[in-house]
Each structure stands twice: as structure tokens, then as C-alpha cells.
Amino acid sequence: MTAAAPAIEPIIGLEIHVQLATRTKMFCGCAVEFGAEPNTRVCPVCLGLPGALPVINERAIELAVRAGLALNCTIAEVTKWDRKSYYYPDLPKNYQISQYDMPIADGGSLDGIRIRRAHLEEDAGKNIHDIPGCTAVDLNRAGTPLLEIVTEPDFHSADAVREFAIRLQRLVRYLGVSEANMQKGQMRFEPNINVRIGTGEDACVTPIVEVKNLNSFRSLHGAITYEIDRQVAQWRETGVAAETGNKSNRGWDDAKMVTLPQREKEESDDYRYFPDPDLVPLTLDRNWIDSIRAALPERPDARIERIVANFAIPEKSAAALIDDRATVDLLDAAAAAGGDPLTLGKHFLGFWSMHANQRGVPIAQLGIVAAHMAELSRLVADGKINATAAAAIADQMIKSPAAPARLAEQLGLFQSSDESEIAAWVDQALAANRKAVSDALANPKKMKAARGFLTGQVMKLSGGKADPKLVGQLIDSKLAK
Ligand code: ZN
Ligand code: MN
């Protein structure tokens, strides 16, 4: 081949199923609960028993509207419910209640990616394959509310898709719309992938492949990367471009990192969508929508920027902090209560994070009020205690509701500026470290290290409460003698 390699442009759209953070299911009062004993969170409605009637979960509507508004969608004035027919063991009604032609949210955008629509639907149950000799069905998940968000095919690389997915996860968590825990299947991705090969009139496109049910960023990225390569290789081999109707489904093998063929994709005709006769169309009150819009929080990106600027927290850490809304609210509240922003930033990244990690909870659940966090930061910023003492006080604050100043006093951690007391510690440190002292005096290059070491020793002797500035001065003057 002498011709230059043709231009290759991946074209990718995303369908994302997000489990709404409701207490109960979409159309019945059964609890939404991950990991419960199989088939214990079920009732006639979600079991699809004859005669059972669905009742709409208002909270699910509210969360869907919230997400739709944050995705800059138009919220429908009237939305309706449709039956999407298919036959699976984990779908007891043989249809899924979904929204076909009147989705609750329409035509938005996020970070430059167009959102085609977002509609409500119910989840299916789960087939369980790990029992030898049989497949079991657990219907606890059947009827769980999902928001299906569909983008236009605006992505052109696996990286761009992953970046968007991470931002979307952050957004729905931040909005309180979904916990979006992918290990629990609360956020699942289905990319539609094909490739344009060549340019202008000679360009052709490969058949679209939809990869089903990806539940990690890694598998999302891996599946897209694999599909792009596979489609290009197949085109080189067969020269077959897309024809209408040849969209297919593939699954993802996470261990082998390959996609594998699945059933042919149904066209919407096959689903025999029709309006659900058990559910009336829903008219959404404009005032209610406006009140949800007014209550939308600051966008996560804007908030991350603000956290970086106000608290000198690195962007990556700020992004992690805002994953728990209550925690980042606590940080702001501590600053508002008079805390020192820079010190608060250090404390949040330092010992507050450490205590939270040790307990496996977010910082907001450590049980420490904003005013106390603020006070602790002020004690440091005002030079009344040092950083080591602050960490020791924080240890106590976890166990005691007492105010930090009180604890500092009880623990004797207020910084000592008593010169004779500090001088005594300095003498003690110098006496105990004659080698370091004589080295430093013999070799000026070693002076700085020796000085740092001796300061550390004095701080240790003082139990962390000596004023470090005074310590440094006293060491210098004593070494000079
Ligand atoms: Zn139920
Ligand atoms: Mn769906």
C-alpha cells in the first residue's frame, strides 16, 4: 500500500442509567436496598402480580427534574409512561415501565456534550448464576427508579467519554440525585460506538455497536478503546461499512478486556411501546419546577474552583472533598464561623481526612461542629498552639464535645513563650546531642540540618508546646556562644 492511512474518527454516544437515591421503588413502597436477602424487598406491584397497580414515587420525579435542570434540559410540561415489552426471567411483568416519546427531560447539554433526553424507568431484577445447576432470580432490584440519560454522539475518544462520565458522576452525587456507586450498579454506562473512516465523499462509517452495562470507568474506557480498534481492523479485512439496521450489541469481558457479540439490537418496533394504561400522564407544575431550579446548588466545577482559591487546597483534593456534599458544606461553614481558611484547608486534608478514613466515614460524619473546627484553626493561625498540638487536640475532639481551647488547656498544649522554660529545654537538647552540636560548629554546611534537628528535639521535650520561633532564636544564640 502506498496510499496514506485514511483518517479515523471515532463517533461515540452514551446512555447512562443512574439509580435515583429514593428510599422506595419507582411504583411501590418496597425499600430500595442493596445486598438484602433475595426476594425480601418485593410486593405484588414489583413482582408483577395480576391486578396490582403502580403508584408514582414523587421523590423520583423530583430527583429526575433536579438532574434534568442541572443538565440544562427542558423539563416536560406533561410526561407519560410507556410499556417497553420484553421477555426476561428477571422482568416479571414482561415489560418495563419507561418513557418513550415524552421523556421528563429533553434537549440539554453538559460540558459541551449535547444531552438528547433523560427519561425515568424502572430497573429489572437480577439473575443469579453462581448456584450450581440453576439460575436463580432476585427481584429485590425490580422496580428501582432509574434515570436514563442519553447523549448525542458528540464524543470522539475514549478519554473524552471517561472525563465526561467522571464529571457526570460528580454532578449527580453532588445534586443528591444518586449515590452513583458503580460497584453497586447505581451508575451504568452503555456507549454506542462506530468509526468514520476517510474524509469527504469517500468516507464511510462502520456499523454501530452498543456495549452493554459497563460499571466502571476502566471498563468504559477499555470497551471503547477495544471497539474502535476492532471496528477499524474489521473494516480493513472486510471493507464492510454500515447499512441501516445492522446495529449490534456486545458485552464486555473485564478479565480479557475484550468485547463479545450479544443478541442483535432490537429496533424500537420490536419493543411494542405503548402507553401504560395503569398510569396517567403526569402534569408537572411550573411553580414546583421553578422551586427545584431555585434550590439547585452551585455547580460542582464552580465550587471546586472556589475551594481551591479560598482554602489553597489542590484541585484533585478539592474534587474529592466535594464528593461528599455535607463535608464541603462543613468546610465552608467553618470558614464562615471565623476559621482561618488556609489552616482549615490543611486540617481538612490532614488530620480530619485521616480520622474520617480510619472510621470509613466522610469528615462531616466525625461529629465535630463547624464552630469547633473554626476555633481550632484560629488557635493555630493566631500562634497560640502549633500544628502538632492541633493534631493532638483533634484526636481529643473526636472523643469529646469540649471546645478546642478547653482541650488545649487541659492537655497543656498552649504554646509556651516563657523564655526561661524554653531555654531549659534548649540546654537539655544541646546536652543530649553533643555530637550534632560539635559537627555543626566544625562544619558550617551542616549547621542548617543540625539546627533543624535540635529544634525538633526541643519541640519533643516541650511536648509540642514551645513557640518554635523562640526555640530557633535560643538555639542560634546558644550555638553562637
Ligand atoms: Zn414492591
Ligand atoms: Mn434503559
Side-chain angles (χ1 to χ4, degrees):
M1 282 241 284
T2 51
I8 304 265
E9 184 185 41
I11 307 166
I12 308 153
L14 261 190
E15 291 172 20
I16 309 111
H17 285 92
V18 171
Q19 182 182 317
L20 297 175
T22 56
R23 274 189 317 105
T24 57
K25 293 186 182 180
M26 187 69 232
F27 298 109
C28 64
C30 292
V32 171
E33 199 179 329
F34 181 83
E37 185 71 13
N39 299 309
T40 56
R41 303 294 184 271
V42 291
C43 74
V45 174
C46 55
L47 287 175
L49 299 186
L53 285 176
V55 177
I56 299 166
N57 181 336
E58 187 181 327
R59 178 77 177 152
I61 306 290
E62 184 190 332
L63 295 178
V65 169
R66 202 187 286 175
L69 290 171
L71 293 169
N72 305 299
C73 291
T74 305
I75 304 301
E77 310 223 339
V78 180
T79 184
K80 75 171 183 32
W81 308 94
D82 300 280
R83 291 185 176 183
K84 181 181 185 180
S85 304
Y86 46 123
Y87 178 86
Y88 279 119
D90 57 2
L91 191 71
K93 297 195 296 287
N94 289 337
Y95 63 84
Q96 175 192 33
I97 304 176
S98 182
Q99 301 191 302
Y100 181 50
D101 54 348
M102 293 171 71
I104 190 162
D106 209 23
S109 69
L110 179 67
D111 300 332
I113 300 298
R114 289 170 300 158
I115 305 294
R116 184 180 295 169
R117 57 184 276 159
H119 66 257
L120 277 159
E121 60 187 30
E122 53 176 350
D123 209 347
K126 259 186 216 166
N127 291 331
I128 299 170
H129 301 289
D130 59 3
I131 302 167
C134 76
T135 289
V137 181
D138 174 10
L139 292 174
N140 282 351
R141 199 180 67 178
T144 298
L146 299 176
L147 186 68
E148 179 173 336
I149 301 166
V150 183
T151 79
E152 297 292 344
D154 286 349
F155 302 98
H156 301 291
S157 72
D159 286 355
V161 173
R162 180 172 54 192
E163 172 72 13
F164 176 88
I166 290 170
R167 282 165 176 276
L168 182 66
Q169 183 194 43
R170 184 180 298 150
L171 180 68
V172 294
R173 281 183 170 169
Y174 191 72
L175 292 170
V177 162
S178 174
E179 288 174 37
N181 181 331
M182 286 183 281
Q183 279 95 47
K184 293 182 181 172
Q186 292 168 338
M187 191 177 201
R188 316 194 289 261
F189 299 97
E190 300 185 335
N192 281 259
I193 307 150
N194 69 343
V195 180
R196 180 183 291 114
I197 299 169
T199 47
E201 285 193 358
D202 295 334
C204 63
V205 289
T206 55
I208 297 174
V209 164
E210 177 168 332
V211 185
K212 304 302 285 183
N213 264 327
L214 300 169
N215 52 15
S216 70
F217 295 129
R218 174 180 175 267
S219 57
L220 177 63
H221 191 271
I224 293 170
T225 306
Y226 180 84
E227 256 319 293
I228 292 168
D229 291 347
R230 189 192 65 79
Q231 290 183 19
V232 172
Q234 190 179 53
W235 174 82
R236 284 194 207 286
E237 216 172 275
T238 65
V240 172
E243 294 153 35
T244 43
N246 63 353
K247 178 168 167 174
S248 60
N249 280 352
R250 295 175 76 92
W252 173 246
D253 184 324
D254 212 23
K256 298 196 180 110
M257 299 282 286
V258 298
T259 65
L260 298 166
Q262 286 184 342
R263 69 182 159 90
E264 285 303 294
K265 172 86 182 169
E266 288 87 352
E267 293 300 312
S268 60
D269 277 356
D270 301 330
Y271 288 126
R272 297 284 186 266
Y273 280 102
F274 72 95
D276 193 310
D278 290 340
L279 287 159
V280 291
L282 196 65
T283 304
L284 299 169
D285 178 61
R286 291 293 101 181
N287 291 330
W288 186 58
I289 307 285
D290 288 344
S291 71
I292 296 173
R293 190 196 309 273
L296 279 181
E298 182 184 13
R299 298 192 68 89
D301 288 351
R303 188 140 191 199
I304 290 172
E305 248 174 62
R306 201 163 54 73
I307 296 295
V308 169
N310 291 359
F311 300 95
I313 288 177
E315 190 177 334
K316 228 182 165 170
S317 308
L321 267 184
I322 80 152
D323 266 346
D324 185 64
R325 180 85 177 280
T327 294
V328 74
D329 285 349
L330 179 64
L331 176 59
D332 274 340
D340 177 66
L342 295 187
T343 311
L344 279 171
K346 283 185 195 144
H347 290 181
F348 266 66
L349 295 188
F351 48 71
W352 294 137
S353 287
M354 181 198 77
H355 286 298
N357 290 341
Q358 281 173 357
R359 285 162 183 76
V361 296
I363 293 174
Q365 283 177 32
L366 287 172
I368 297 166
V369 294
H372 283 176
M373 290 185 163
E375 185 181 316
L376 183 63
S377 72
R378 271 265 71 92
L379 290 173
V380 176
D382 294 345
K384 294 192 174 134
I385 61 171
N386 63 31
T388 321
I393 293 167
D395 284 347
Q396 293 304 308
M397 287 168 75
I398 299 282
K399 298 169 211 153
S400 148
R406 191 72 208 278
L407 291 168
E409 192 161 347
Q410 278 173 10
L411 298 168
L413 288 174
F414 274 119
Q415 221 149 260
S416 170
S417 303
D418 179 335
E419 202 171 321
S420 62
E421 191 179 19
I422 295 177
W425 286 319
V426 170
D427 286 339
Q428 208 182 325
L430 292 178
N433 297 284
R434 283 182 204 286
K435 174 96 171 59
V437 174
S438 59
D439 278 2
L441 291 175
N443 183 353
K445 279 186 194 157
K446 289 191 177 165
M447 184 57 108
K448 199 172 164 224
R451 194 175 174 278
F453 171 74
L454 290 166
T455 305
Q457 294 302 305
V458 175
M459 293 310 289
K460 220 182 215 172
L461 287 169
S462 76
K465 64 179 193 169
D467 174 353
K469 224 187 252 166
L470 203 49
V471 172
Q473 286 167 9
L474 287 170
I475 289 176
D476 286 346
S477 72
K478 296 209 181 227
L479 286 178
K481 278 176 198 165

